[in-house]
Each structure stands twice: as structure tokens, then as C-alpha cells.
Amino acid sequence: MFLERLIGAGVLLYGSNNNDTLAFYDASTGRQLAPYGTQAISATLYAYGGNDLLIGSNSESSSYSETLYGSTGNDELHGGAGSDDLFGGTGDDLLFGDSGADLLSTDGGTDVAHGGAGNDTLIARGSVTGALHGDTGSDVLCADKLGVTMLGSPDTSGWNVLYWSSTATGTATERALGIAGSHADGAFSWCGNPSWSTLLGFCNSATLSQAPSNCAAYGMPN
């Protein structure tokens, strides 16, 4: 693996073709990457080939931003505390936002994503099957395939948005595993697209005709 520190306090850690562990946090010592003084840090972990483990810092400083990128292998990504962006890449990946307001994008493969505590956005793009778990908080979950299962936050003080694109495709079997096996939970839920309203009986309101802005910003079609 290769570590490069760039001008402007950008820190990048790259993997190799092997099965690597890339981390900005060491659980055995408690040491982690974090801002020093007033200097901001933008940190990025890049998997390469192989089945990699990426572990983000637990820094919750407003001066610290962090992005984790999986690659072609079956990768496992942990955001840690704070608000992180996680992108699974191709392969069958596991994504854990942990605490904070996180963005998790599966990007293909049979992926499973857990938002963790906080108000998270979870997006499944190109994953024929897989699962998005909001966990606690008020969460927004979106998918472009009907075979993706969405499980909204069970937090009774929160709300959930579960959105399958109007152009989402899937066989009858995939629907049975995905959209038909989903549930919203939480205090209130909005679901869409209304094209699938007959399959959204678990939702308080199945009226969303446009992708939530959280998801549209990352290419989720209406």
C-alpha cells in the first residue's frame, strides 16, 4: 500500500493488488487521523485489487472530511464516527457507515449496506440484488433495481424514505426478494415511485414520483 500526503492537507492511502487493510484508525492503540490545530484535512482511502478492508477515522471534527472507495474485489468499508462517504465499487461489498450522517453507495455487486446511527443516505446503483439497512435515525434509501431490499430505520422518533426508480427492473423472483421483502418501520415513511405502489403497502405514503434530492445528486433516476 502507498501513503501520500498532498499540499493542502489532503491525505490519500492506496491499496495494492493484494488483500489489504487500509486504516485511518487503529483500534489497538486508539490512534487515528485527525486535524491538528486549525488545519483542515480531506482524507481518502482507495482500495485497488483484492478483497480489502477499509477503516475510517473516528474524528468528528468539522475540519475533517473522509471518503472511502472500494474497488473490484469483495470489500468491507467502515466509516467510523463522523460523517463519511463510502463507495463500494464493483464486487460483493459490505458497507458500514457507523455513527454520523453518512452517504453509502453500493455501485454494483450483491452488496449489503448499514447506515448505522445518524441520518444517512443509502444508494444502490447497478446492484441487481442486495440490501440497504437504515439502522437508527431518519434515513433515505434509494435503488435502481427491484431486487434490492430496503429496511428502514426502526427508530420510532425518526422517519424513512424508501425509493425505487420508475425505471427499476427486476424479475418476479427478484421482486419477491427485494421490494416485496422490504419494510419501512420508523415513525412515518414515504415511498416511491408510485409505479410500484401496489408493492408498497408497508409504507405510510407511496406518493413520491421523483427521486429524493439526496439520491438524485448521485445519478438516481426518477
Side-chain angles (χ1 to χ4, degrees), residues 34-53:
Y36 179 77
T38 60
Q39 187 174 31
I41 291 180
S42 175
T44 308
L45 293 174
Y46 285 99
Y48 193 65
N51 303 323
D52 303 313
L53 173 62

Side-chain angles (χ1 to χ4, degrees), residues 82-187:
S83 300
D84 312 295
D85 294 345
L86 283 66
F87 298 88
T90 58
D92 300 335
D93 306 308
L94 294 172
L95 283 68
F96 299 90
D98 300 323
S99 61
D102 304 307
L103 166 70
L104 288 73
S105 179
T106 64
D107 303 329
T110 301
D111 301 321
V112 177
H114 288 265
N119 302 332
D120 306 305
T121 299
L122 289 77
I123 305 173
R125 299 180 301 177
S127 296
V128 175
T129 58
L132 304 179
H133 298 257
D135 297 331
T136 58
S138 296
D139 303 309
V140 176
L141 291 69
C142 299
D144 62 3
K145 302 291 183 183
L146 297 179
V148 174
T149 302
M150 298 192 202
L151 306 173
S153 166
D155 189 346
T156 56
S157 64
W159 49 265
N160 295 287
V161 175
L162 281 66
Y163 188 85
W164 286 266
S165 167
S166 64
T167 59
T169 57
T171 65
T173 298
E174 288 164 356
R175 291 188 193 187
L177 292 173
I179 188 170
S182 299
H183 54 85
D185 297 333

